[in-house]
Structure formats: structure tokens, C-alpha cells
Amino acid sequence: MDQTAPVAAPTGSPVVTLATRGLTKLYRTGEVEVQALRGIDLELFEGELVVFLGPSGSGKSTLLNILGGLDQPTAGEVTFYDQVLTSYGESALTRYRRDYVGFVFQFYNLIPSLTALENVALVTEIAQAPLDPAEALGLVALDDRLDHFPAQLSGGEQQRVAIARAIAKRPKVLLCDEPTGALDSKTGILVLRAIQQVNRELGTTTALITHNAAIADMADRVVSFGDGRIVEVRVNSERCDPEELQW
Ligand SMILES: Nc1ncnc2c1ncn2[C@@H]1O[C@H](COP(=O)(O)OP(=O)(O)OP(=O)(O)O)[C@@H](O)[C@H]1O
Ligand SMILES: [Mg+2]
């Protein structure tokens, strides 16, 4: 990718951050073939929060990984603003991930020997226009845990450090794969609150995978998957706060 900033469309119509067309993914393991994606056409609009719902094996993580440049489709196209991601080589994809994408996974993968602040600073040191690490931790309501090591934090707090780490470089896109999967509902709500806060304050286009249909009420749009296809797209007229979700 060249180093120019993404080009936004003229104002008036929603700006599309990421779009896929005819995306398919076939995994071949020995003799076994799995069709993980069977033609996905989807647009993610700038600043929106989209929830991906669907049963296990329906292709949610496969799609998220392709959107984030971690994996390549078998066929079809992904565009990021005016750039065709699927034409990128490995090094351009690496730059795309580094400059524009924040990931949050079920497991936090923090560095145990570094404090919360240091875990976040590790990322901001190599970013072009990062948030201050303490500010990033403030966004996820961890102002009072900056000097704690991961072992001194609860699971939910560790996940919020992971979110702060993901967004401290001000990515255009935040991709979350089951971020509350390992957490109880009370802790999960704090994590969802942190994601919502980032989405609102920074305008980061956010996709969030969950098994929990209740979480869908905090989204602008809900995309449901089944067997490698999109089976439904729902627009929420209002977004709930995480605290209002019926878990
Ligand atoms: N690296 C891989 N190699 C081979 N098959 C894979 C690979 N990754 C995923 N699959 C298969 O592709 C299909 C879609 O998997 P994917 O992980 O995208 O589903 P998912 O919707 O995220 O499921 P879950 O909710 O369980 O995380 C599954 O049948 C899975 O077994
Ligand atoms: Mg998955």
C-alpha cells in the first residue's frame, strides 16, 4: 500500500471503509475440503459498529481474518477505501494491518512482564500518530491501573488493556473476535462499554463477533451468518448501551 491516507468519498452518502464482493474461502486439509465462505458481499461503513452473529463454523472468524489482512480469500475481492486489499502482496498486507487495523481476540495475549501502560506503549512507539498510552487506557476506564502487571488485573481488565493496545495507534478498523467469550456477563459488559466508547470517541469502524445474540442490540447493524453465507442483515433503529443488554 502507498503511504497516502485513505481517500474518503464525498459527504452525504455513508463512507464505506471495507467492502467485500463475492468473497469465498476454501480450506483444504489433506483430502478434506471445507467451504468456509460461500460468496460474501458486505460493506462496513465508516464509524459504525457491526455485530457478526452465527453458529459455530459459519465463517465469522474466517471473514474477520480476511478483513484484517491476516488471511487471503480463495476468490472475491476486499477493498479498503479505494485500495484493493486482495491485490496486495504479503508486505503490503503487513503494512495495512500495522497502520489501519486493531485486533481484539478472546484471549488477551498481554506481555506478562510489562505493566498495562508498557503493554500499550509497545504499540504506540511504532505508530505514526498514536494516542498517548495513558489516554488509551483512560478510554477503557483503566486510568487507575496503569502500573499493574497483567497478573494483577482481572480478566475483564486485561481485555480492556488489550482493547487499549489495539486502538492506541488510532486504527481505522477495530476487529473483535469473541472479546467477551471468556468473561462473565458483568465483566463482559465493561468490556463492551470500552468497545462502544472507542467506537464513539474515535469513530473507529468496528466489527464484533459474538455468539451472544443479546449483544447485537448495542450494534448499528447485525449481520447473521449461516454456513458461509450472510443470512440476514438487520439495522437497529436505536443502539442500546451495554448496561441495558438483557444477557
Ligand atoms: N485454518 C483452517 N483450516 C481448515 N479449516 C478451517 C480453518 N479455519 C476454519 N476452518 C473451517 O472453516 C469453517 C468456518 O470456520 P470459522 O472459524 O470461520 O467459523 P466461526 O463462525 O468463527 O465459528 P466459531 O463461532 O466456532 O468461532 C469451519 O468449518 C472450520 O472448521
Ligand atoms: Mg470464530
Side-chain angles (χ1 to χ4, degrees):
M1 168 178 284
D2 67 36
Q3 289 304 304
T4 53
V7 178
T11 49
S13 53
V15 177
V16 177
T17 301
L18 277 164
T20 73
R21 188 170 305 170
L23 209 63
T24 67
K25 179 71 181 183
L26 184 70
Y27 287 113
R28 204 172 275 117
T29 311
E31 298 286 286
V32 181
E33 283 190 351
V34 175
Q35 185 87 48
L37 299 177
R38 299 170 186 269
I40 299 288
D41 299 311
L42 181 66
E43 292 179 321
L44 299 186
F45 301 112
E46 192 163 66
E48 75 171 339
L49 196 162
V50 179
V51 160
F52 289 176
L53 274 183
S56 184
S58 57
K60 306 180 298 295
S61 296
T62 301
L63 176 61
L64 206 79
N65 290 342
I66 293 173
L67 291 175
L70 287 173
D71 201 357
Q72 298 266 24
T74 310
E77 191 175 86
V78 182
T79 52
F80 173 67
Y81 294 98
D82 56 350
Q83 314 260 345
V84 181
L85 278 192
T86 29
S87 69
Y88 282 6
E90 205 41 62
S91 65
L93 266 189
T94 302
R95 283 199 297 279
Y96 164 68
R97 287 195 302 268
R98 185 194 62 197
D99 293 340
Y100 298 117
V101 187
F103 289 101
V104 176
F105 297 104
Q106 180 169 354
F107 301 103
Y108 331 119
N109 299 315
L110 300 176
I111 297 180
S113 58
L114 299 181
T115 64
L117 193 72
E118 290 165 345
N119 265 282
V120 177
L122 213 55
V123 172
T124 56
E125 277 162 16
I126 58 164
Q128 283 177 357
L131 293 174
D132 176 70
E135 192 189 336
L137 285 160
L139 259 179
V140 298
L142 284 178
D143 321 67
D144 55 351
R145 296 287 192 280
L146 304 187
D147 298 322
H148 287 230
F149 290 93
Q152 299 169 324
L153 296 168
S154 72
E157 288 166 347
Q158 290 182 59
Q159 186 61 300
R160 279 145 64 202
V161 175
I163 293 167
R165 179 182 57 181
I167 55 90
K169 62 180 176 186
R170 296 184 202 263
K172 295 298 289 183
V173 187
L174 179 64
L175 303 176
C176 310
D177 195 343
E178 295 276 357
T180 61
L183 303 172
D184 64 44
S185 61
K186 192 156 157 270
T187 315
I189 283 167
L190 295 175
V191 165
L192 295 173
R193 162 62 79 182
I195 290 170
Q196 185 196 55
Q197 186 80 1
V198 165
N199 172 253
R200 285 187 179 168
E201 300 269 323
L202 302 182
T204 314
T205 305
T206 303
L208 192 169
I209 293 179
T210 177
H211 276 116
N212 185 343
I215 291 176
D217 291 342
M218 68 178 275
D220 295 300
R221 284 193 305 150
V222 186
V223 180
S224 298
F225 293 82
D227 196 24
R229 291 191 177 88
I230 292 174
V231 295
E232 188 192 10
V233 178
R234 184 180 102 205
V235 177
N236 285 333
S237 52
E238 286 178 37
R239 316 199 310 186
C240 282
D241 282 335
E243 293 76 10
E244 300 167 311
L245 299 174
Q246 298 299 316
W247 201 288

